[in-house]
Amino acid sequence: MKRIAVLTSGGDAPGMNAAIRAVVRSGYYHGLEVYGVYRGYTGLIQGDIEKMELGTVGDIIHRGGTVLYSSRCEEFKTEAGRQKAVEQLKKHQIDGLVVIGGDGSFQGAKKLTALGFPTIGVPGTIDNDIPATDFTIGFDTAVNTVVECIDKIRDTATSHERTYIVEVMGRDAGDIALWAGLADGAESILIPEAPYQIDEIVERLQRSSERGKKHSIIIVAEGVGSGLDVADKITDRLGWETRVTVLGHVQRGGSPTAFDRVLASRMGSKAVELLLSGQRDMMVAIRNNDVIGIDFDEALSQKHQPRMELYDLAKILSI
C-alpha cells in the first residue's frame, strides 16, 4: 500500500477536520502518499481528487465543518455510479480509502469493499447514532452547543416565568437531547427510544409549580416530533403560555471540543493503521476508551440504543 485517500460524506460534524489531519499526517508518518477527495462520493465519481501534503492540514484541527466539503450523492447509490468511483480510485493509483461519516456513508464504503477496494470507516456524526461505538466524532461538541443555548434560554425563561420547549437534532436518536437535558437539569426529556405520556409531563410541571418553581425547560428530540406539538398539548391541558425554540443547524457548527479533537485524532490514525495491516470492510470505534476496528457487518447489524440509565437518572433528578 503506497497511496490512500480520505473523504467526508453526509452531514458535517465538528472534529471531521481533526480526523482528516490525523489520516494525512499518520499516512505520511508511515511513508504513504495521501489524497483528499472533495465533496464526498460525488467528488469521488467526478475525480475531484488532489494530493494532500503535511502543510495542507495545518491549522485545521480547531475548525468546524470539513475542509474536504461534503455532499449526498444519489448516483453513488447505483451500481454504475459505484463503478465510476472505483475507476477513479484506480486512475489515481489509490490503494485504500478512509470514509468519515455516518451510517449512510458506511453503507457506501461497504459497497466499495465489495467491489474489491479496501475501505475503512470513521464515525463522524453529531447524532451519535452509529452502533458499536460509544461515541461518534462531533457528538460532544453538539451537546456542549445545546447546553450553552439552553443556559441562555433558561435566563429568559426565569425572567418571564414561562415554560420553554427546546427542540434539538439527532434524527432518530435521542442522545443529544438526553445528554444535554441531563447536563442542563431539564424538567422533562423526550426521546424516540422512550415513548412519553403528556399527562406525566403535565403532572411534573404542576408539581414543580406547586412548590414555587416559576419556569421549566423541556427538551424534545426531533425524532419524537415537533416541539410545537408538545407546546400545544401543554397549553391545552394547563392553559400556560409556552415558548418553543428549534435550535436547528447551529448544533452542527463551531469549533470542536477537546474531547472531539482527541477522539478524531485517535480514530483517524487508527484507520490508517487498519489499512496498513491489510484490513478492509471495517469501521473504527471507541469502546471503554479503547480505539478498535470492527467489521462493518457486525457494526451495522446492531441497533443503536442510548444509555437509558442516564434517562432514568434525569427523571430522578428532576423530581
Side-chain angles (χ1 to χ4, degrees):
M1 186 162 290
K2 297 180 179 179
R3 293 181 176 183
I4 64 172
V6 57
L7 65 79
T8 51
S9 175
D12 61 299
M16 279 186 166
N17 283 327
I20 294 168
R21 174 180 179 270
V23 171
V24 172
R25 295 201 168 176
S26 293
Y28 276 101
Y29 177 84
H30 291 288
L32 301 173
E33 290 184 1
V34 186
Y35 286 73
V37 181
Y38 289 86
R39 297 173 181 84
Y41 289 121
T42 299
L44 188 56
I45 290 172
Q46 296 174 351
D48 193 1
I49 303 170
E50 295 181 8
K51 185 178 180 181
M52 303 185 79
E53 306 289 353
L54 292 175
T56 308
V57 293
D59 202 33
I60 69 169
I61 193 171
H62 63 290
R63 292 169 56 185
T66 163
V67 295
L68 291 177
Y69 308 111
S70 187
S71 68
R72 303 187 190 277
C73 182
E74 291 300 317
E75 186 179 2
F76 189 79
K77 296 178 181 179
T78 68
E79 185 175 346
R82 292 191 292 273
Q83 193 59 51
K84 288 181 183 178
V86 172
E87 290 171 2
Q88 288 291 347
L89 289 166
K90 290 180 178 178
K91 176 182 175 182
H92 288 82
Q93 299 179 328
I94 292 169
D95 305 309
L97 178 67
V98 177
V99 173
I100 305 170
D103 55 355
S105 303
F106 287 177
Q107 294 290 351
K110 184 173 173 57
K111 288 182 171 64
L112 283 178
T113 303
L115 291 174
F117 197 85
T119 308
I120 301 294
V122 173
T125 167
I126 67 168
D127 303 328
N128 204 44
D129 61 350
I130 304 296
T133 184
D134 293 341
F135 297 105
T136 59
I137 297 168
F139 170 67
D140 185 70
T141 304
V143 169
N144 277 276
T145 297
V146 172
V147 167
E148 182 181 356
C149 291
I150 294 174
D151 285 346
K152 295 177 179 179
I153 289 169
R154 187 181 291 278
D155 291 341
T156 296
T158 303
S159 299
H160 292 273
E161 301 180 325
R162 290 196 182 114
T163 296
Y164 270 71
I165 292 89
V166 182
E167 182 184 319
V168 302
M169 296 176 75
R171 284 202 312 178
D172 297 323
D175 290 60
I176 293 177
L178 177 55
W179 285 69
L182 178 58
D184 240 313
E187 278 68 30
S188 293
I189 304 170
L190 279 58
I191 60 175
E193 297 88 352
Y196 73 95
Q197 298 293 328
I198 191 65
D199 291 337
E200 180 183 342
I201 295 173
V202 168
E203 180 183 348
R204 188 183 297 271
L205 290 171
Q206 288 177 315
R207 191 164 59 241
S208 296
S209 177
E210 289 169 359
R211 70 168 186 262
K213 190 167 186 179
K214 302 296 185 182
H215 70 278
S216 294
I217 300 290
I218 298 173
I219 311 298
V220 179
E222 65 179 351
V224 171
S226 169
L228 289 168
D229 291 340
V230 176
D232 289 341
K233 292 175 182 178
I234 292 173
T235 300
D236 288 343
R237 284 165 172 76
L238 293 175
W240 292 3
E241 187 176 11
T242 61
R243 291 289 185 271
V244 179
T245 298
V246 180
L247 293 183
H249 286 81
V250 66
Q251 296 159 87
R252 279 194 187 171
S255 180
T257 60
F259 179 88
D260 272 330
R261 298 183 199 190
V262 173
L263 177 64
S265 298
R266 295 177 70 189
M267 285 185 163
S269 181
K270 183 66 175 181
V272 175
E273 292 177 15
L274 290 172
L275 284 174
L276 286 171
S277 66
Q279 300 296 328
R280 59 176 64 199
D281 203 26
M282 300 187 78
M283 65 164 272
V284 180
I286 183 166
R287 289 180 174 177
N288 300 318
N289 206 32
D290 291 326
V291 176
I292 59 175
I294 301 174
D295 289 338
F296 272 137
D297 283 336
E298 176 189 349
L300 297 178
S301 65
Q302 299 179 34
K303 183 179 180 180
H304 168 75
Q305 284 291 335
R307 297 182 60 176
M308 295 307 293
E309 70 270 20
L310 297 182
Y311 181 77
D312 295 335
L313 176 61
K315 294 183 74 172
I316 291 171
L317 298 183
S318 63
I319 186 172

